[in-house]
Amino acid sequence: MTVRTHTTVAAFRSALVAERHAGRSVGLVPTMGYLHDGHASLIRRSAAECDVTAVTIFVNPTQFGASEDFTRYPRDVDRDTALAEEAGASHLFVPTTDEMYPQGGGLTTVSVRDITEGLEGTSRPTHFAGVATVVTKLFNIAGACRAYFGEKDWQQLLAVRQLVRDLDMPVDVVGCETQREPDGLAMSSRNVYLTPEERRAATVLHRALVAARASPDPETVMKEVVASEPLVELDYAALRDGRLLLAARVGSTRLIDNMEHEL
Ligand code: AMP
């Protein structure tokens, strides 16, 4: 089946209303595009569990800080369309910034307290308000659905679960396991920024998590392992609610990863 691409809120909303009217369940996979096998695993899972799957591709400016990589974030909608279709998507929503934020944006911001504080919330102070607001908009446009999010963005997944509960949204949030390259590096659209040398060094995030996962002092272990890699500068290494969370800069690229603490 060929995927149908929608560029307006109205067209995407009515396509999904029609699917539900026809008795079909809807799976939603929100992304920023430049799809890789991590995204494909979410799409495949949705296609296995729902009658139709809708993928959204929107590089959301409001979740990037002023000094971050919004303008250079990789984009390739033709390739994404082929990958999404191959993985089982029926609908693609690819709005412009103006379509999502007419007149430069609205006056309403959704914010989730507590969960979004610390870690990514400290390093990227405006990030989660941007995420929570755009996810709320996408859920309101899509309507009742199951929505698939990756565990790779752990704090984001917790925040999205919370906002759906708090705001009574008709959405079942499904968390999906992090997909990795054969050497352990978590798949990410940002991995294309890495030079070959940085790409080799970037495996230290996964190595640090593996070394720490059964340790009684995981934060120290993660810090030591990351410090052994001169090309990598640690942002944070933390244990929070049974989860090990890491962020580091590899050259100009910021990478994150996480894993369950098994102790
Ligand atoms: P992004 O396009 O980076 O905003 O990611 C869109 C969705 O894909 C989010 O729910 C991410 O958590 C998820 N995702 C990104 N990378 C991976 C990965 N390596 N494994 C599983 N899910 C991922």
Side-chain angles (χ1 to χ4, degrees), residues 30-32 36 38-39 42 73 149-150 153 156 177-179 187:
T31 81
M32 297 205 298
H36 50 66
H39 299 112
L42 271 52
Y73 197 85
F149 286 83
D153 299 281
Q156 167 176 283
E177 202 181 306
T178 301
Q179 302 298 303
M187 290 179 181

Side-chain angles (χ1 to χ4, degrees), residues 29-42 56-59 63 73 127 131 148-154 156-157 160 174 176-181 185-191 256-257:
V29 183
T31 81
M32 297 205 298
Y34 212 72
L35 303 181
H36 50 66
D37 208 48
H39 299 112
S41 73
L42 271 52
T56 71
I57 297 179
F58 180 58
V59 185
Q63 70 190 68
Y73 197 85
H127 174 66
V131 169
Y148 294 80
F149 286 83
E151 291 183 347
K152 159 138 185 296
D153 299 281
W154 185 257
Q156 167 176 283
L157 172 61
V160 170
V174 183
C176 304
E177 202 181 306
T178 301
Q179 302 298 303
R180 300 180 178 283
E181 301 291 353
L185 178 67
M187 290 179 181
S188 165
S189 305
R190 290 191 167 96
N191 292 348
I256 59 172
D257 203 348

Side-chain angles (χ1 to χ4, degrees), residues 1 6 16 18 35 45-46 55 78 91 97 100 128 187 189 196 204 207 215 238:
M1 202 172 62
H6 312 278
L16 296 190
L35 303 181
R45 170 106 180 252
S46 171
V55 176
D78 290 341
H91 297 273
T97 301
M100 287 298 278
F128 284 118
M187 290 179 181
S189 305
V204 80
R207 286 188 272 127
S215 164

Side-chain angles (χ1 to χ4, degrees), residues 38-238:
H39 299 112
S41 73
L42 271 52
I43 300 169
R44 284 193 295 263
R45 170 106 180 252
S46 171
E49 295 178 354
C50 307
D51 296 320
V52 293
T53 291
V55 176
T56 71
I57 297 179
F58 180 58
V59 185
N60 174 38
T62 70
Q63 70 190 68
F64 289 79
S67 61
E68 293 181 3
D69 56 345
F70 173 67
T71 47
R72 73 162 180 152
Y73 197 85
R75 294 160 167 89
D76 188 343
V77 173
D78 290 341
R79 194 171 136 272
D80 289 349
T81 304
L83 190 148
E85 183 170 308
E86 167 70 28
S90 309
H91 297 273
L92 211 59
F93 180 44
V94 192
T96 60
T97 301
D98 201 48
E99 180 68 14
M100 287 298 278
Y101 300 110
Q103 280 117 38
L107 302 178
T108 306
T109 302
V110 179
S111 71
V112 180
R113 286 192 300 274
D114 189 41
I115 288 164
T116 62
E117 287 154 24
L119 310 173
E120 289 301 284
T122 299
S123 303
R124 309 181 72 190
T126 59
H127 174 66
F128 284 118
V131 169
T133 303
V134 81
V135 167
T136 299
K137 285 166 69 70
L138 290 170
F139 287 173
N140 282 334
I141 296 164
C145 61
R146 284 164 73 85
Y148 294 80
F149 286 83
E151 291 183 347
K152 159 138 185 296
D153 299 281
W154 185 257
Q155 217 178 346
Q156 167 176 283
L157 172 61
L158 298 185
V160 170
R161 283 195 195 287
Q162 187 72 39
L163 96 84
V164 161
R165 267 200 302 276
D166 290 347
L167 300 181
D168 306 294
M169 293 176 163
V171 176
D172 281 333
V173 177
V174 183
C176 304
E177 202 181 306
T178 301
Q179 302 298 303
R180 300 180 178 283
E181 301 291 353
D183 62 7
L185 178 67
M187 290 179 181
S188 165
S189 305
R190 290 191 167 96
N191 292 348
V192 296
Y193 299 148
L194 301 170
T195 66
E197 242 191 333
E198 290 169 351
R199 170 65 187 78
R200 278 190 291 277
T203 60
V204 80
L205 277 81
H206 181 249
R207 286 188 272 127
L209 290 167
V210 169
R213 75 178 155 199
S215 164
D217 186 9
E219 296 181 6
T220 303
V221 171
M222 288 191 283
K223 283 175 191 160
E224 280 171 5
V225 174
V226 173
S228 72
E229 190 52 77
L231 290 179
V232 180
E233 192 197 330
L234 185 69
D235 182 353
Y236 60 77

